[in-house]
């Protein structure tokens, strides 16, 4: 009994269930319904033979595949003919079943049958066969004469399987459940599996080879794509059946690519004949069908070579879709669908296929929806939502297509479709054909949707809006804002057509905002144009005018368009409005742009009543000249105290460029706002402490933080007209009926300043009838100041400081302020005797205007009387300055120590002002206060002028033996050089006994700046003791460089004025002290003692040597007899003479000498002339060279019981000074001259402690003469010294 | 080969945009603008990997019926420091000319990039300004002329 062992032909209808059904049930369904053996076999088969390992050709990796097989009864017709391409119905293995166990039977029938079967197989060149011998024990028992069991099998093997003994299998007792049965089943199944696999592999390989060969023939003329298509699809089917979807998909992709290539080649002129068939006009456009695994309808069309391009594409895609869905790749379906739709449209165009208008749109629309629904059908919501990015393209494409269909069929127009449109619609609907049965029950099928949408205007609107909103929503949800806006714009266009601009506006605004934010100029212009139309229809006048003004200034539009928009504004402005008070406020920046602003006067500060002009440059952006009724600048006024000062400071910093303030070009709409962020404006900041001007804080200030750190708004404010508010202020600068030409225009405003304060320019407003273009904020802030000033007089020296004694220039500045100086107004200066005002004939005053421009100059008349000097001012208008210079001369003041003035006896003037004098290390100064009466005030102005003394003087008393000298040092402290002449020292009072012999030259002396001159007189007296000296030094001085002696002085009672140069009692105070000293202690300057020191080398040596002791002999000699000055506590009277106690001390401050032994001692000195006392002591030179002798000092030694201290005022003691000078010495001597060294021995401190200790009193310098002062002794170095130290003094 | 070439700044405003049929300029502007959506998406999807691999080519991003749009975000080396300047190049290619292979598009972009780098090297060019270089313009012209 022969059987064909075929691969199971799968019912395509039941394809899907295939995966669910398991093998046994499947097998039961098979057509074979033979006897029990095989039924039993069927039960066993699934257990063992399902998995076959197929090693596939063409480089594919070996895979485990699941093979299903089908048993078919052998018929000769079923054997494949030559050239058969069907693989699914291919007989892979032929099996011959026999139950024969009888040799007779075998010989009679079975052998013949087998031979016949074999021959048929051979004739079809089929080599895959198997003979199965079923042995049945039951039968054997019935027939006793049977041959041994194996004989039939052997016979068959001998007869048929001469070389392939394995092609015959024994199956024993298949229905029994014995181990033998099991064994034989196993053997059979293994064999079956091997053979089946071999055959399968072989045949599949062969098929593929054949297919490739066929493909290579594609350049041959008779080649047909459809035929080839069917062949390769067969392969795909096989792979699909084997669940090798990937491989199946590859087959389709190859077909797809092949076809596309042909189309492209066709476009390039390389047409294949078979393609012309696809070029036939499209008659049906019913979209993709993806709900069936295999669209047999289309497949047949292809098979019959009747398919159109759309049919082929549809079928191909439906197969790809099916496979991709099996592969769980639905998103690829969406992606491929979009590509497919695009490429189909392009291919049709390329192949020049005639397509009725709208047909493709229908096809695309249906296909999009079909794909989407198919995907939705196999995915859950969550998956779909997370993969919108893949499907949104289809949505948007469908929307687009529906829109174009709507436009085509007149469904968008206001009046609805006309007859032509209706005809077209009918044609389109006809092309759709009837609805496919598989979707007929679905309510929302693409077919139904399209049909409904095209049926009426309302239905179309509904569907279109649904789609659009869905698309926009999806785009937005995945962040494709730009695409969403673009769809929104389409929607807006639709709304505009449907006469519902209020709905369109939202979308247009949204899109515009997006384009503006990203700076896309052309889309901005285009959208704005649409928006303008929309706003016009909506009657949003303000917005419309604003948009119009923006469009009128848009350089991307043509001149005509711009002009038309400009006319829109002008015509509106020209129209009479119902409510006259109503104003439409628009931002200025679209209309014109404020470029710069210039103040005259440039510092933008005017006085009350002054005229200020503001010149602005405005660039009009309108294409035509515009007549503007009024341009106004609204000004904010604020009263600020002290503002003048503030602005003056501000001006120097900020407004250097001649009053010009430039405004930055406003961010043009084109570049993105992000990029046009203002640059950082940084400035340094130093904060100093107010007290000592030291740096407290420093830092950097960003001045435009508010610009940089403000919130980045999403451009909402760009177009919004809100926020532009017209400020109402009392202060407005106006300019009426101005014509603004395109481009730059200059407009000048003039205003007269009224109230003082700060005026800040706030808004610029151009009005055209009811329309106002307003620049809400003028940025950077611009302001001008109006001030009112009190008249003011300032007097200041020209030089740094004024010097007394010589003429000095002083500048007078009269700031008139609000006061107008009339002819005859004058300044009244009260005269001070110590300060002269020198009048020149040619004094001139210069009048400056407020801006420091010279206005005029006039002669100045100065009249002096005893009490006042009157300066008559030239007439000057308000807010001007009068400047003139006067020369003043401060007379050096005479001694002012009130009590002594009588003693001095000079012609002291009576001082009106108590001038203060400060004696310091620098120049002594004198302040003069002058009170000036001004014409504008009832109060006098008091002005202080400070004059400095150019000189300082010191004097000292010098002795040479008993002769006495006075030295006066004059130090020039100023920066000028002076000539000194006529130096004179006059002993005041009764000076007949005292003569002063000048030792210096009498000629003029030149004293340079910071240098000193010295004058020396010898004091001679005729009477013993010499009388006190009460001297007064005077010297004449004049500036060395200037020979300005032309000053004519009014006659004063000063004796030196006659000499025509100025003599000054320069150091009266010092001179007075000097006089006092001499007056009270005149005996002190007489020399009482002379001290002589002498160093002699050690005996035997010629010279002193370092380290060797030398002898020092000090000789103290009394030069005078008993004098008044000696009468003090130290004086003791013995029998024949008086004696006093002196203490000597040898000190070497320069450490040249080491005094050995006692360095000091007390000697009792007889008070009579020529009394001598000698003291010897040992000193040792420490250095070699000419060494000065050590100092020898003498002190008066006062016994402790002295009552001296009680006589003195305790307060006069200087406690902390450390200098133990007695009060009277301190008082009357220049401190430097008595700074006696060694006064540490002073008893002052002990006196304070109240202990009865002897006191030391320094002798005044005039009383001791040191004869050996300045002498030097040669000291030679000792020979054994290694180090030679030589001191040279 | 291209019908529209655009250079887009980091902030998504056009630094340079030119298209061949001047009548449809507006359409190209819209097209390039919407394609930025996909560019952004791709850039953020690739993120760091893109920078590391130095793969600047984003591939086809936006097929339409008429034109294919492809994109190339720019990564730029300037003298002294390296910045990821995120400048994007968008090129609209006439897709009826399917002979254009990926490689050719890549090489066109490379050319564009080089030329753009030259523009940036110009000391008188302010980064962020619109490109007005004549050399760049003529290079773009050469890329466009090939197709027309």
């Amino acid at each position: 009994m022969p059987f064909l062992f075929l691969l199971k032909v799968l019912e395509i209808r039941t394809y899907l269930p295939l995966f669910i059904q398991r093998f046994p049930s499947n097998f039961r369904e098979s057509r074979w319904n033979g006897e029990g053996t095989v039924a039993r076999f069927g039960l066993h088969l699934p257990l063992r033979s399902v998995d076959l390992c197929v090693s596939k050709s063409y480089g594919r990796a070996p895979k485990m595949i699941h093979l299903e097989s089908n048993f078919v009864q052998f018929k000769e017709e079923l054997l494949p003919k030559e050239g058969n391409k069907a693989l699914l119905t291919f007989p892979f293995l032929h099996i011959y079943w026999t139950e024969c166990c009888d040799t007779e039977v075998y010989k009679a029938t079975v052998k013949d049958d087998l031979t016949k079967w074999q021959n048929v197989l051979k004739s079809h060149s089929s080599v895959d066969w198997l003979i199965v011998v079923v042995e049945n024990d039951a039968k054997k028992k019935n027939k006793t004469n049977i041959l041994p069991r194996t004989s039939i099998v052997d016979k068959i093997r001998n007869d048929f399987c001469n070389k392939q003994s394995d092609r015959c299998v024994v199956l024993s007792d298949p229905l029994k459940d014995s181990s033998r049965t099991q064994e034989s089943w196993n053997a059979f199944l293994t064999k079956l599996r091997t053979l089946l696999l071999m055959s399968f592999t072989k045949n599949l390989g062969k098929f593929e080879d054949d297919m490739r060969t066929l493909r290579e023939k594609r350049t041959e003329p008779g080649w047909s794509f459809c035929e080839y298509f069917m062949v390769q699809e067969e392969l795909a089917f096989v792979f699909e059946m084997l669940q090798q979807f990937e491989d199946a998909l590859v087959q389709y992709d190859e077909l797809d690519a092949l076809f596309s290539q042909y189309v492209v080649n066709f476009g390039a002129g390389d047409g294949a004949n078979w393609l012309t068939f696809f070029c036939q006009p499209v008659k049906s456009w019913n979209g993709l069908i993806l709900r069936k695994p295999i669209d047999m309808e289309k497949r047949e069309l292809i098979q019959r070579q009747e398919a159109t391009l759309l049919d082929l594409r549809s079928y191909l895609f439906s197969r790809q879709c099916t496979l991709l869905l099996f592969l769980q790749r639905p998103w690829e379906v969406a992606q491929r669908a979009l590509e497919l739709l695009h490429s189909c449209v392009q291919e049709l165009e390329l192949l020049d296929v005639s397509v009725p208008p709208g047909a493709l749109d229908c096809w695309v629309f249906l296909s999009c929806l079909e794909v989407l629904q198919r995907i939705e059908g196999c995915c859950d919501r969550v998956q779909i939502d997370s993969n919108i990015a893949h499907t949104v393209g289809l949505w948007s494409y469908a929307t687009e297509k529906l829109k174009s269909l709507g436009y085509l069929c007149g469904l968008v127009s206001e009046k609805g479709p006309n007859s032509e449109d209706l005809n077209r619609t009918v044609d389109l609907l006809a092309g759709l054909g009837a609805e496919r049965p598989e979707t007929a029950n679905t309510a929302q099928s693409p077919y139904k949707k399209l049909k409904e949408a095209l049926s009426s205007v309302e239905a179309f609107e509904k569907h279109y809006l649904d789609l659009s909103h869905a698309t926009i929503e999806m785009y937005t949800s995945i962040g494709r804002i730009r695409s969403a806006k673009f769809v929104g714009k389409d929607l807006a266009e639709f709304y505009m057509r449907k006469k519902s601009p209020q709905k369109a506006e939202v979308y247009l605004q949204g899109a515009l905002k997006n384009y503006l934010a990203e700076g896309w100029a052309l889309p901005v212009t285009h959208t704005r144009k649409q928006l303008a139309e929309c706003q016009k229809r909506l009657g949003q006048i303000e917005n419309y005018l604003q948009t119009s003004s923006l469009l009128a200034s848009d350089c991307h539009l043509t001149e005509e368009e711009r002009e038309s928009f400009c006319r829109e504004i002008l015509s509106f402005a020209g129209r009479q409005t119902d409510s006259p008070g109503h104003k439409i406020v628009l931002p200025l920046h679209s209309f014109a742009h404020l470029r710069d602003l210039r103040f005259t006067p440039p510092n933008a500060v005017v006085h009350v009543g002054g005229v200020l002009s503001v010149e602005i440059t405005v660039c009009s952006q309108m294409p035509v000249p515009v007549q503007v009724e009024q341009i106004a600048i609204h000004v904010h006024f604020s009263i600020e105290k002290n503002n003048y000062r503030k602005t003056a400071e501000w001006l120097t910093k900020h407004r250097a460029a001649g009053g010009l303030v430039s405004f930055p070009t406003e961010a043009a709409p084109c570049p993105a706002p992000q990029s046009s962020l203002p640059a950082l404006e940084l400035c340094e900041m130093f904060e100093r402490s107010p007290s000592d001007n030291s740096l407290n804080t420093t830092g950097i200030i960003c001045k435009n933080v508010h610009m940089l750190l403000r919130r980045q708004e999403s451009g909402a404010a760009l177009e919004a007209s809100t926020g532009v508010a017209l400020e109402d202020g009392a202060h407005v600068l106006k300019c009426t009926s101005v014509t603004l030409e395109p481009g730059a225009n200059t407009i000048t405003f003039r205003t007269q300043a009224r109230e003082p304060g700060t005026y800040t320019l706030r808004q610029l407003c151009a009005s055209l009838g009811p329309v106002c273009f307003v620049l809400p904020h003028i940025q950077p802030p611009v302001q001008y100041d109006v001030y009112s000033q009190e008249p003011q007089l300032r007097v200041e020296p020209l030089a740094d400081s004024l010097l007394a004694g010589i003429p000095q220039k002083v500048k007078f500045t009269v700031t008139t302020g609000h006061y107008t100086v009339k002819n005859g107004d004058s300044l009244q200066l009260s005269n001070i005797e110590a300060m002269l005002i020198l009048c020149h004939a040619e004094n001139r005053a210069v009048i400056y205007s407020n801006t420091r421009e010279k206005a005029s100059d006039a002669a100045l008349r100065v009249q002096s009387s005893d009490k006042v000097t009157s300066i008559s001012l030239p007439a000057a208008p308000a807010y001007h300055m009068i400047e003139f210079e006067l020369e003043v001369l401060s007379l050096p003041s005479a001694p002012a120590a009130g009590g002594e003035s009588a003693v001095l006896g000079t012609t002291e003037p009576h001082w009106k002002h108590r001038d203060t004098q400060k004696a310091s290390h620098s120049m002594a100064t004198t302040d003069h206060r002058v009170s000036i009466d001004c014409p504008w005030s009832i109060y006098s102005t008091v002005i202080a002028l400070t004059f400095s003394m150019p000189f300082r003087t010191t004097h000292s008393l010098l002795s040479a033996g008993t002769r006495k000298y006075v030295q006066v040092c004059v130090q020039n402290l100023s920066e000028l050089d002076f000539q000194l002449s006529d130096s004179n020292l006059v002993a005041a009072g009764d000076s007949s006994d005292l003569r002063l012999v000048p030792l210096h030259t009498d000629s003029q002396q030149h004293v340079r700046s910071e240098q000193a001159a010295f004058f020396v007189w010898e004091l001679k007296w005729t009477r013993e003791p010499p009388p006190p000296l009460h001297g007064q030094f005077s010297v004449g001085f004049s500036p060395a460089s200037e020979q300005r002696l032309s000053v004519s002085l009014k006659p004063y009672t000063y004796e030196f004025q006659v000499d025509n140069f100025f003599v000054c009692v320069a150091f009266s105070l010092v001179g007075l002290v000097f006089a006092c000293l001499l007056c009270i202690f005149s005996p002190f300057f007489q020399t009482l003692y002379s001290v002589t020191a002498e160093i002699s080398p050690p005996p035997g040596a010629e010279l002193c040597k370092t380290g060797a002791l030398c002898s020092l002999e000090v000789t103290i000699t009394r030069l005078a007899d008993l004098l008044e000055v000696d009468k003090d506590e130290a004086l003791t009277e013995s029998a024949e003479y008086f004696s006093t106690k002196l203490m000597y001390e040898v000190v070497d401050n320069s450490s040249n000498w080491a005094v050995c032994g006692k360095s000091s001692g007390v000697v009792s000195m007889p008070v009579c002339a020529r009394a001598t006392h000698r003291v010897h002591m040992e000193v040792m030179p420490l250095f070699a060279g000419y060494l000065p002798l050590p100092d020898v000092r003498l002190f008066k030694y006062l016994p402790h019981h002295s009552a001296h201290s009680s006589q003195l005022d305790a307060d006069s003691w200087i406690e902390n000074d450390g200098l133990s000078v007695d009060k009277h010495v301190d008082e009357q001597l220049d401190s430097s001259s008595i700074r006696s060294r060694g006064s540490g021995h002073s008893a002052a401190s002990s006196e304070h402690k109240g202990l009865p200790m002897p006191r030391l009193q320094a002798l005044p310098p005039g009383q001791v003469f040191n004869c050996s002062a300045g002498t030097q002794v040669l000291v030679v170095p000792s020979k054994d010294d290694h180090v030679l130290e030589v001191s040279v003094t | 080969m291209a019908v529209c070439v655009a250079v887009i700044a980091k902030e998504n405003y056009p630094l340079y945009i030119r298209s061949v049929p001047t009548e449809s300029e507006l359409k190209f502007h819209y097209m390039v603008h919407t394609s930025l959506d996909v560019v952004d998406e791709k850039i953020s999807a690739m993120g760091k990997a893109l920078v590391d691999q130095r793969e600047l080519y984003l591939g086809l991003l936006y097929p339409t019926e008429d034109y294919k749009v492809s994109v190339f975000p720019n990564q730029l080396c300037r003298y002294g420091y390296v910045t990821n300047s995120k400048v994007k190049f968008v090129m609209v290619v006439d897709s009826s000319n399917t002979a254009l292979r990926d490689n050719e598009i890549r090489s066109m972009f490379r050319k564009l990039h080089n030329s753009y780098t030259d523009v940036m090297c110009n000391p008188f060019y302010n980064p962020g300004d619109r490109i007005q270089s004549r050399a760049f313009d003529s290079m773009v012209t050469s890329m466009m002329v090939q197709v027309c």
Side-chain angles (χ1 to χ4, degrees), chain A residues 23-43:
Chain A
F23 209 54
S25 57
N26 198 18
F27 202 77
R28 253 177 268 127
E29 274 182 17
S30 64
R31 290 181 210 144
W32 189 75
N33 45 5
E35 45 192 286
T37 319
V38 181
R40 176 63 190 264
F41 161 67
L43 292 175

Side-chain angles (χ1 to χ4, degrees), chain A residues 264 342 345-346 397 401 478-483 486 489 514-515 518-520 522-523 526-527 670 672 675, chain B residues 8 11-14 17 25-26 29-30 32-34 36-38 40-41 62-66 95 98 130:
Chain A
V264 170
H342 287 318
V345 173
Q346 280 158 16
Y397 201 21
K401 286 301 162 191
I478 57 167
R480 294 197 187 176
I481 304 297
R482 299 179 190 88
S483 309
F486 190 66
K489 265 194 69 212
N514 185 244
Y515 298 139
E518 296 196 330
W520 286 75
L522 275 185
H526 179 242
T527 314
C670 301
S675 66
Chain B
I8 320 263
E11 295 86 2
N12 288 335
Y13 65 92
I17 181 159
E25 201 184 354
L26 180 67
H29 276 247
Y30 278 126
V32 172
H33 184 248
T34 43
L36 289 179
D37 274 339
V38 190
D40 283 354
E41 218 165 76
Y62 194 73
T64 66
E65 258 174 45
D66 308 325
S95 66
T98 19
R130 268 150 209 275

Side-chain angles (χ1 to χ4, degrees), chain A residues 481-540:
Chain A
I481 304 297
R482 299 179 190 88
S483 309
K485 299 288 178 205
F486 190 66
V487 178
K489 265 194 69 212
D490 277 347
L491 195 56
E493 214 170 295
F494 171 76
Y495 278 130
M496 286 301 286
R497 281 190 164 234
K498 300 295 285 182
K499 297 279 176 211
S500 41
Q502 69 281 359
K503 285 181 186 160
E505 199 205 347
V506 185
Y507 292 102
L508 289 175
Q509 289 280 19
L512 182 59
K513 202 155 77 173
N514 185 244
Y515 298 139
L516 274 174
E518 296 196 330
W520 286 75
L522 275 185
V524 163
T525 310
H526 179 242
T527 314
R528 250 188 209 149
K529 248 163 75 182
Q530 291 177 310
L531 189 63
E533 181 63 28
C534 174
Q535 287 165 339
K536 192 179 185 182
R537 291 226 206 133
L538 281 174
Q540 299 176 340

Side-chain angles (χ1 to χ4, degrees), chain A residues 536 615 680 704 770 810 855 1016:
Chain A
K536 192 179 185 182
E615 189 182 285
L680 284 175
N704 52 354
V810 173
V1016 181

Side-chain angles (χ1 to χ4, degrees), chain A residues 774-789:
Chain A
V774 174
L775 181 66
H777 303 288
I778 296 179
Q779 197 53 252
V782 179
Q783 54 188 33
Y784 67 89
D785 294 282
V786 176
Y787 68 93
S788 141
Q789 198 187 10

Side-chain angles (χ1 to χ4, degrees), chain A residues 946-1001:
Chain A
T946 305
F947 291 88
S948 309
M949 291 292 179
F951 298 108
R952 190 173 66 198
T953 13
T954 50
H955 70 273
S956 53
L957 181 68
L958 306 172
S959 308
T962 52
R963 296 164 79 160
K964 297 290 167 181
Y965 304 89
V966 175
Q967 178 191 277
V968 177
C969 165
V970 177
Q971 196 166 11
N972 182 2
L973 297 169
S974 73
E975 287 176 354
L976 287 174
D977 297 350
F978 284 98
Q979 291 278 13
L980 300 183
S981 59
D982 288 358
S983 57
N984 193 17
L985 183 66
V986 182
D990 181 20
S991 59
S992 54
D993 297 334
L994 207 58
R995 246 175 350 111
L996 291 163
V997 182
L999 297 180
H1000 51 269
T1001 52

